[in-house]
């Protein structure tokens, strides 16, 4: 293609030195193309972003409508605080007792923080899901990808031991925290969790724990 | 006996077929990659373990910038004749008493990235030629309760195409009140299932370590 073969027919018996076909050195071109191909292959494979589905509870528009009552013993309140901190407390708080609010525990997004806390409380279900997945991977159970997911969903709906997590966000939290906490729910296989509005007494509890002034300025620590 | 003369030159490898193959592969990759258009705001999405790919069609995406501006993007639908975007624009125009002509509708249809222009400036925005001048008008969609244009956009988008799935693309640093506001608007309009756009990352858990 690139090499043009020039053949000298030789005129009138005059002996000429055979002309060498001109050669192009293609090596740099090949190098460049290699680089470009690598670049395009990597970018096409990794650029596709993923989505995480979430469902919000119904908005209570009717004042007579009451929020569903959940067992306080299984309730776990997680509040996203300022500076990538998480505050949590188990059970429910009565707003009447605002003078004597229970303390909130502080943790963070590391593997030994919130993840450990959640797994401790959700171990039974997490183990069930994990065992099931291991069996699928090792080939003991032959099942398609879709059925695996629905089987895991079934395990989750049947579960009645794990915590019911209520996720709330303090006003100084950021979107990254929100995604991270939902991701932790998926990682730890928490069956029941939802995102709800933060209550005024919970804001107070976070402020007390984080040392944030009630005006909402950033904390000093 | 004549001596055999050994060639002294280094052997030459013909690279031409290799170049040909590479050219073909390169062309293929060039054509198949979807060029991502620069968004009006720089957004670094957070990471999650979710592996569901982003929907190609029937997605309305809300871009939440780190400084709290909200932009939106609707796709035109899986078929070129559906033209969801101009339909939504016309509906929006009717609501706010603005008439968009053919040209403006076409401009809106083919605008490649998210739009965050108040409806009052939409006409000016669509008639501008230059990208930089356009970007100056991208101040974010108003969403306070007095002038909640975002709710209107969502409402008309869902009237035109009820299958639109709401996607939220936020920066990790976007402050929560903005996110909350958008979630509230979605909830009020009865959009309860939606997707958060994230990047993939792997999570490693060691059960034994945690059980101690």
């Amino acid at each position: 293609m690139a090499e043009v073969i020039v053949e000298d027919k030789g005129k009138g018996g005059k002996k000429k030195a055979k002309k060498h076909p001109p050669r192009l050195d293609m090596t740099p071109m090949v190098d460049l193309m290699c680089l470009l191909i690598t670049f395009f292959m990597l970018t096409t494979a990794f650029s596709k972003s993923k989505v995480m589905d979430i469902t919000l509870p119904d908005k209570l528009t009717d004042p007579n409508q009451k929020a569903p009552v959940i067992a306080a013993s299984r309730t776990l309140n997680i509040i996203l605080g300022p500076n990538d901190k998480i505050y949590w407390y188990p059970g429910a708080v009565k707003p009447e007792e605002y003078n004597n609010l229970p303390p909130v525990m502080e943790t963070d997004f590391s593997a030994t923080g919130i993840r450990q806390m959640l797994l401790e409380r959700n171990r039974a279900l997490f183990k069930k899901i994990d065992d099931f997945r291991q069996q699928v991977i090792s080939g003991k159970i032959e099942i398609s990808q879709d059925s695996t997911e629905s089987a895991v969903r079934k395990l989750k709906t049947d579960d009645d031991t794990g915590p019911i997590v209520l996720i709330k966000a303090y006003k100084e939290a950021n979107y990254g925290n929100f995604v991270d906490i939902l991701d932790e729910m998926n990682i730890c296989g928490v069956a029941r969790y939802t995102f709800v509005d933060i209550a005024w007494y919970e804001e107070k509890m976070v402020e007390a724990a984080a040392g944030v002034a009630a005006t909402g300025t950033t904390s000093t620590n | 006996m004549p001596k055999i003369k050994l060639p002294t030159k280094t052997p030459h490898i013909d690279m031409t077929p290799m170049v040909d193959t590479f050219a073909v592969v390169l062309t293929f990759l060039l054509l198949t990659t979807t060029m991502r258009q620069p968004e009006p705001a720089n957004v670094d999405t957070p990471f999650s373990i979710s592996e569901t790919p982003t929907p190609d069609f029937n997605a309305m995406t809300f871009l939440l910038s780190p400084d709290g501006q909200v932009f939106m993007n609707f796709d035109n639908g899986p078929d070129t004749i559906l033209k969801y975007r101009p339909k939504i624009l016309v509906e929006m125009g009717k609501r706010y008493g603005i008439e968009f002509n053919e040209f403006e509708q076409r401009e809106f249809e083919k605008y490649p990235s998210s739009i965050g222009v108040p409806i009052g400036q939409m006409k000016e925005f669509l008639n501008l030629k230059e990208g930089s001048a356009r970007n100056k008008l991208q101040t974010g969609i108003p969403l306070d309760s007095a002038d909640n244009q975002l709710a209107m956009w969502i409402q008309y988008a869902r009237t035109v195409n009820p299958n639109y799935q709401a996607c939220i693309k936020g920066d990790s640093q976007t402050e929560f009140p903005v996110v909350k506001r958008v979630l509230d608007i979605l909830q009020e309009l009865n959009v309860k299932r939606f997707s958060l756009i994230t990047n993939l990352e792997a999570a490693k858990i060691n059960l034994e370590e945690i059980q101690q």
Side-chain angles (χ1 to χ4, degrees):
Chain A
M1 199 200 233
E3 282 181 278
V4 186
I5 295 152
V6 185
E7 242 181 284
D8 201 17
K9 289 262 160 147
K11 229 191 193 167
K14 219 183 185 182
K15 273 245 162 126
K16 242 190 186 174
K18 209 174 187 185
K19 249 193 199 162
H20 215 72
R23 278 184 201 278
L24 280 175
D25 188 8
M26 298 261 191
T27 328
M29 187 171 172
V30 170
D31 290 353
L32 190 81
M33 278 183 153
C34 242
L35 274 179
L36 282 174
I37 287 176
T38 324
F39 169 76
F40 274 105
M41 274 167 73
L42 291 182
T43 46
T44 42
F46 295 125
S47 68
K48 191 96 178 131
S49 52
K50 307 287 174 191
V51 294
M52 183 164 67
D53 289 325
I54 120 154
T55 312
L56 286 184
D58 281 335
K59 194 106 186 161
L60 299 176
T61 39
D62 184 2
N64 298 323
Q65 212 177 352
K66 285 229 171 75
V69 181
I70 48 171
S73 57
R74 282 176 68 193
T75 310
L76 194 62
N77 299 274
I78 295 182
I79 307 166
L80 307 169
N83 302 330
D84 296 336
K85 286 271 191 290
I86 305 171
Y87 299 93
W88 63 275
Y89 68 93
V93 167
K94 288 195 187 75
E96 303 91 80
E97 297 168 0
Y98 61 90
N99 281 323
N100 188 23
L101 290 169
V104 283
M105 266 68 84
E106 184 183 311
T107 183
D108 52 26
F109 283 101
S110 64
T112 50
I114 186 77
R115 193 172 300 172
Q116 179 153 11
M117 192 276 277
L118 282 170
L119 281 175
E120 271 168 18
R121 279 162 183 73
N122 198 38
R123 188 175 300 142
L125 175 62
F126 181 78
K127 244 190 117 45
K128 247 189 247 170
I129 297 175
D130 198 50
D131 285 349
F132 178 73
R133 283 194 199 273
Q134 287 304 326
Q135 278 175 329
V136 172
I137 291 167
S138 61
K140 275 181 200 145
I141 304 174
E142 282 198 18
I143 195 167
S144 74
Q145 179 78 36
D146 284 354
S147 332
T148 315
E149 287 314 310
S150 59
V152 168
R153 258 202 304 281
K154 175 112 179 45
L155 280 178
K156 281 187 179 176
T157 22
D158 291 349
D159 168 76
D160 53 3
T161 53
I164 300 166
V165 181
L166 301 178
I167 303 165
K168 295 142 199 215
Y170 185 66
K171 53 182 178 274
E172 280 173 39
N174 61 35
Y175 177 72
N177 299 146
F178 180 56
V179 171
D180 282 345
I181 196 75
L182 293 173
D183 196 33
E184 285 305 324
M185 296 297 143
N186 290 333
I187 292 172
C188 302
V190 176
R192 287 162 224 279
Y193 61 90
T194 191
F195 177 75
V196 289
D197 289 350
I198 189 166
W200 60 271
Y201 50 87
E202 284 167 332
E203 280 188 354
K204 270 201 159 55
M205 284 154 79
V206 170
E207 277 157 13
V212 184
T215 45
T217 48
T218 40
S219 78
T220 44
N221 58 344
Chain B
M1 245 172 94
K3 270 183 191 167
I4 301 162
K5 215 181 170 185
L6 286 169
T8 45
K9 267 190 189 165
T10 48
H12 190 275
I13 305 164
D14 190 6
M15 295 267 193
T16 326
M18 193 172 175
V19 171
D20 293 351
T21 337
F22 275 21
V24 170
V25 175
L26 196 60
T27 323
F28 169 74
L29 287 174
L30 266 172
L31 291 179
T32 48
T33 40
T34 41
M35 274 296 151
R36 213 180 314 162
Q37 292 297 327
E39 293 285 5
N42 225 346
V43 160
D44 287 327
T45 49
F47 291 89
S48 83
I49 58 156
S50 175
E51 285 175 23
T52 328
T54 324
D56 288 327
F57 300 111
N58 292 335
M60 45 178 178
T61 312
F62 306 104
L63 189 77
L64 314 179
S65 83
D67 7 301
Q69 292 168 327
V70 178
F71 305 89
M72 41 122 215
N73 198 355
F74 308 99
D75 70 81
N76 271 315
D79 205 323
T80 41
I81 53 157
L82 290 170
K83 295 190 196 300
Y84 288 144
R85 283 172 72 118
K87 280 183 198 159
I88 300 167
L89 183 72
V90 169
E91 290 293 321
M92 258 321 254
K94 269 186 214 155
R95 170 71 176 72
Y96 286 91
I98 305 164
E99 208 172 297
F100 294 100
N101 61 31
E102 278 295 279
F103 172 78
E104 287 155 353
Q105 285 180 32
R106 217 166 34 247
E107 282 293 304
F108 188 79
E109 186 190 335
K110 65 182 192 207
Y111 193 74
S113 64
S114 303
I115 294 181
V117 186
I119 191 76
Q121 277 146 339
M122 188 61 89
K123 230 176 159 56
E124 189 189 343
F125 172 81
L126 293 173
N127 283 310
L128 279 174
K129 274 274 160 296
E130 247 176 284
S132 57
R134 276 184 166 180
N135 278 344
K136 262 186 211 139
L137 287 175
Q138 300 251 38
T139 51
I141 303 168
L143 35 88
D144 49 55
S145 47
D147 183 22
N148 195 346
Q149 289 176 16
L150 184 70
M152 288 298 142
W153 280 110
I154 299 171
Q155 206 169 321
Y156 289 121
R158 284 169 63 87
T159 322
V160 171
N161 176 14
N163 295 325
Y164 266 138
Q165 187 192 353
C167 298
I168 292 178
K169 186 177 184 180
D171 189 280
S172 305
Q173 294 308 316
T174 306
E175 285 183 3
F176 203 78
V178 184
V179 185
K180 182 88 189 78
R181 183 79 192 112
V182 175
L183 293 187
D184 277 346
I185 292 173
L186 284 168
Q187 239 180 336
E188 275 160 26
L189 292 170
N190 260 328
V191 185
K192 276 167 291 182
R193 278 189 58 84
F194 50 85
S195 312
L196 308 173
I197 297 183
T198 57
N199 284 327
L200 187 63
E201 87 178 335
K204 289 187 194 79
I205 324 177
N206 192 345
L207 197 63
E208 274 67 48
E209 206 176 86
I210 286 151
Q211 267 173 345
Q212 32 148 311

